[in-house]
Amino acid sequence: MNLDLTPEELAFRDEVRDFLAAALTPELREAGRRATSVFSDKRHSLEWQRILHARGWVAPSWPVEYGGPGWSEMQRHIFAAECARAGAPSLAPMGLKMVGPVIMGYGTADQKAHYLPRILSGEDYWCQGYSEPGAGSDLASLQLRAERDGDHYVLNGSKIWTTHAHWANRMFCLVRTSREGKPQAGITFLLLDMDAPGIRVRPIVTLAGEHEVNEVFFENVRTPVSGRVGEENQGWTVAKYLLEFERGGGSAPGLQAMLQRVRAAAGASGLLTEPGFRRSLGAAEVAVQAIEASELRILASLSAGRNPGPASSMLKTQGAEALQMIDELMLEAAGTYAAPDQPGARAAGSNLDPVGPEWALTAAPRYLNDRAATIYGGSNEIQRDIMARLVLGL
């Protein structure tokens, strides 16, 4: 595969760099710098989304017919890499990267016409109703009941670990519509309104001391059948399609940007003179280089119209483990400055002076938050099982 950029791609890279230099405000850069999760604060995420939407760049992978820019695979890679290097805040992925592609693939014409423009603009802010107290990695065990009543479903049950449910006005949700046959055969995929009577959101405060995830309770919630995506009891097929996007690649540019921050922090704290730390840093750099090589190989396959196979499971596993390696290095570089809990000072635009250097503010909460990276979206143990079956034939 030839991964050298063409003159046209180099010109595109320069266009992206110029745009980012002009469009990213100091507060947006600060929000990107101080993020402690893969999800940015809603206020900054939506502000950045509106800027990108005005430029026509908010959904790099979407087809032109649905409002995407029509970029090649390489252009998407260049854009992601430049956003990571510039420190742009992340966009909420539940609409743009998850339910949006599902609606394109399985939605009705009315659903596409209604939801896709609202996802692009940020008018609809989505959360994902998948996990339940007894159904995490074993998602087929979900029990949230949806009983048909005319042109509505009536929902009773609960969801858990629902990211940004306290901010979302929309949810895409897996529900149980049948108990006959295999568990997967009785699941349906629904789009619903978070303002519907009977929905209650209760916060879960994470190890990092932050409110990012929630429990969501449903008590006789009526939601229209017109919000169903795909056929009744065929939601497992839709859910598997969505997971290809949730577990997808594209992590190397962000990991490389994190490594640069770790190297700068270690230089400031004097750790770069320690042989043990240098070995650990080198191991993390090798891991990220391996991820980049895999992503570029997959990029070449996609550009040639080939199916990359179970690549999403491989990249999800590699990316999550490399992320945790880098978090540990940053925590070590921060030393005692990682100990103070400073939620007020971490907020973008805060006028509170941090205890210690600014880069140490996020070391501990980021480390704690990312412990879940090897669990959410399908645990790494599940991903290794998928790779064993599909790649090794075990």
Side-chain angles (χ1 to χ4, degrees):
M1 60 182 179
N2 181 11
L3 295 174
D4 291 333
L5 297 182
T6 66
E8 292 78 13
E9 289 165 345
L10 288 170
F12 174 74
R13 183 196 64 188
D14 292 341
E15 181 185 1
V16 172
R17 286 181 178 176
D18 291 343
F19 167 75
L20 293 173
L24 280 170
T25 64
E27 186 174 2
L28 286 174
R29 291 179 187 273
E30 186 180 42
R33 233 180 13 254
R34 297 191 178 187
T36 58
S37 164
V38 294
F39 297 93
S40 291
D41 178 270
K42 179 183 178 182
R43 177 167 66 90
H44 297 106
S45 176
L46 284 183
E47 181 182 351
W48 182 228
Q49 181 168 340
R50 284 190 288 268
I51 292 170
L52 289 173
H53 182 46
R55 179 72 179 228
W57 287 2
V58 73
S61 62
W62 285 28
V64 173
E65 63 187 290
Y66 295 124
W71 287 345
S72 67
E73 297 288 346
M74 182 56 77
Q75 284 177 306
R76 295 173 202 166
H77 177 78
I78 291 169
F79 182 72
E82 294 304 322
C83 284
R85 292 190 185 105
S90 61
L91 299 180
M94 280 83 78
L96 291 165
K97 293 185 178 180
M98 296 166 69
V99 75
V102 164
I103 293 171
M104 292 178 214
Y106 287 90
T108 65
D110 286 346
Q111 288 171 341
K112 293 174 185 177
H114 177 75
Y115 290 114
L116 295 181
R118 295 166 65 92
I119 291 172
L120 288 174
S121 68
E123 185 175 355
D124 279 345
Y125 193 89
W126 292 80
C127 62
Q128 178 186 32
Y130 271 30
S131 295
E132 297 182 7
S137 293
D138 182 20
L139 189 58
S141 298
L142 66 90
Q143 297 298 316
L144 173 60
R145 301 190 310 279
E147 298 176 346
R148 186 73 177 261
D149 182 18
D151 58 358
H152 284 76
Y153 288 108
V154 181
L155 276 55
N156 283 281
S158 66
K159 295 292 180 179
I160 199 168
W161 312 123
T162 312
T163 302
H164 287 188
H166 54 304
W167 285 332
N169 67 318
R170 305 291 305 177
M171 173 188 278
F172 58 93
C173 189
L174 293 180
V175 299
R176 172 73 55 195
T177 44
S178 174
R179 298 187 182 279
E180 298 180 3
K182 295 194 303 181
Q184 293 89 339
I187 293 172
T188 297
F189 193 104
L190 293 180
L191 311 177
L192 54 91
D193 188 342
M194 289 294 288
D195 292 329
I199 293 180
R200 179 167 58 93
V201 177
R202 186 166 70 184
I204 299 174
V205 177
T206 65
L207 281 172
E210 297 175 337
H211 176 200
E212 182 175 273
V213 294
N214 306 269
E215 292 179 281
V216 183
F217 299 93
F218 300 82
E219 184 175 356
N220 295 322
V221 175
R222 296 182 65 84
T223 187
V225 173
S226 60
R228 186 183 68 213
V229 179
E231 297 300 319
E232 186 170 288
N233 299 325
Q234 298 299 312
W236 191 251
T237 299
V238 181
K240 288 192 296 183
Y241 180 74
L242 184 145
L243 283 173
E244 294 179 16
F245 298 95
E246 182 178 2
R247 295 172 181 163
S251 63
L255 293 172
Q256 288 168 340
M258 291 177 66
L259 275 173
Q260 291 175 359
R261 291 195 289 272
V262 168
R263 183 171 282 278
S269 64
L271 266 182
L272 284 181
T273 62
E274 298 291 334
F277 184 86
R278 289 205 308 272
R279 281 195 298 271
S280 297
L281 180 59
E285 289 174 337
V286 169
V288 173
Q289 287 172 3
I291 292 169
E292 181 183 34
S294 295
E295 290 181 354
L296 292 174
R297 176 171 52 82
I298 292 163
L299 178 66
S301 295
L302 291 171
S303 298
R306 296 191 297 270
N307 188 334
S312 59
S313 290
M314 179 182 69
L315 290 176
K316 195 273 181 187
T317 302
Q318 289 180 310
E321 292 177 353
L323 176 67
Q324 292 177 349
M325 290 173 64
I326 296 169
D327 286 338
E328 291 176 11
L329 291 169
M330 182 60 89
L331 196 68
E332 188 174 353
T336 55
Y337 288 124
D341 183 23
Q342 306 177 73
R346 284 200 304 271
S350 172
N351 60 0
L352 297 176
D353 293 329
V355 176
E358 184 200 27
W359 54 262
L361 275 171
T362 59
R366 183 95 205 195
Y367 168 84
L368 293 170
N369 193 304
D370 286 341
R371 302 316 296 167
T374 47
I375 299 174
Y376 58 62
S379 71
N380 279 20
E381 290 78 10
I382 296 294
Q383 304 312 312
R384 286 192 167 88
D385 182 66
I386 292 171
M387 290 184 280
R389 288 186 287 107
L390 299 184
V391 178
L392 302 177
L394 300 177

